[in-house]
Amino acid sequence: MNIMLLGAPGAGKGTQAARIVEEFGLVHLSTGDILRKAVADQTPLGLEAKRHMDEGGLVPDEVVIGLVQDRITQPDALERGVLFDGFPRTIPQADALGAALAESGLALDAVVSVEVDPEAIVARITARRQCRGCGKIFNVATDGDFAVCTECGGEVYQRDDDTEATVRKRLAAYDEQTSKLIPYYAEHGTLFTVDGNRSPADVYASISEILHDLA
Ligand code: AMP
């Protein structure tokens, strides 16, 4: 099964992705996580990506498409299926993903769009913290403010691009580019919509039901 989670920044994709891969055994492919690792490791790719990420813009299509092509042809991805989180974000990326999956005789089985009221997003993102070790996501408003991760003891930090000014630019990138994938997948794929304005557990219950019906 190959699934994509679609949603604005702060819609809860990362939180839901962790639960989905745990239950369904999919490989979690988050282009944001791959890019943040490249930035932390100061690779040439990371240095190129950082400029765009710090500005709240998108990293060029050819860069992310190359990363994804490499990952989806690894044996574990072919065997277990992939959960795409934060990719594709543009129509050219969506076209490239369709073509790359087709080369392996695969397709996206479902796109799950997590929809959240825009007013709630800035508050959610500025309250977000993440573990540098295992990637677990916390919300200081609902979980409390931890310095170390409750799962792995890693350092809990605030992403550089989770400031209010950058969030507004990321939301603009979503509106201008990524939101166009909703009509795209309604026409070219199997699109499901879930209400993301609920607790993570309630959102997950809806997603899990959709994926069980597909499996
Ligand atoms: P995320 O963790 O998914 O919110 O991604 C963080 C940042 O990484 C985004 O604001 C973009 O700058 C960059 N990024 C992640 N995924 C993509 C993608 N599929 N296309 C372009 N840029 C991306």
Side-chain angles (χ1 to χ4, degrees), residues 27-214:
V27 168
H28 182 192
L29 198 166
S30 158
T31 41
D33 284 349
I34 296 173
L35 292 167
R36 275 185 290 281
K37 176 152 192 325
V39 171
D41 293 345
Q42 301 190 329
T43 64
L45 163 73
L47 296 176
E48 151 86 1
K50 188 172 184 338
R51 289 191 292 127
H52 303 283
M53 295 170 80
D54 284 351
E55 301 238 306
L58 295 183
V59 173
D61 285 338
E62 59 277 14
V63 175
V64 273
I65 289 169
L67 291 176
V68 170
Q69 279 168 338
D70 284 350
R71 187 63 189 93
I72 65 175
T73 47
Q74 310 267 319
D76 61 340
L78 293 170
E79 196 178 307
R80 286 158 49 196
V82 176
L83 177 71
F84 295 93
D85 164 10
F87 179 91
R89 264 179 156 94
T90 64
I91 304 254
Q93 290 181 19
D95 286 338
L97 177 62
L101 287 171
E103 268 182 33
S104 302
L106 300 168
L108 258 190
D109 298 292
V111 174
V112 179
S113 173
V114 181
E115 313 229 317
V116 183
D117 293 339
E119 313 86 71
I121 286 180
V122 175
R124 270 194 192 199
I125 295 194
T126 50
R128 173 160 68 186
R129 301 292 181 273
Q130 190 165 15
C131 172
R132 270 195 215 282
C134 69
K136 186 174 167 68
I137 296 164
F138 299 93
N139 179 306
V140 292
T142 53
D143 301 326
D145 199 354
F146 305 110
V148 291
C149 178
T150 51
E151 293 290 315
C152 76
E155 181 200 353
V156 174
Y157 79 114
Q158 182 174 30
R159 281 172 43 176
D160 292 344
D161 59 350
D162 276 354
T163 59
E164 184 166 346
T166 311
V167 169
R168 296 206 181 276
K169 292 188 198 147
R170 290 163 60 204
L171 286 173
Y174 177 81
D175 285 342
E176 282 157 25
Q177 305 198 64
T178 311
S179 66
K180 305 214 165 35
L181 296 179
I182 294 175
Y184 176 98
Y185 281 120
E187 195 177 324
H188 299 289
T190 311
L191 179 75
F192 297 91
T193 301
V194 301
D195 175 3
N197 299 294
R198 298 172 295 158
S199 70
D202 287 349
V203 176
Y204 186 66
S206 301
I207 296 177
S208 174
E209 196 181 320
I210 291 168
L211 299 188
H212 276 293
D213 285 348
L214 283 175

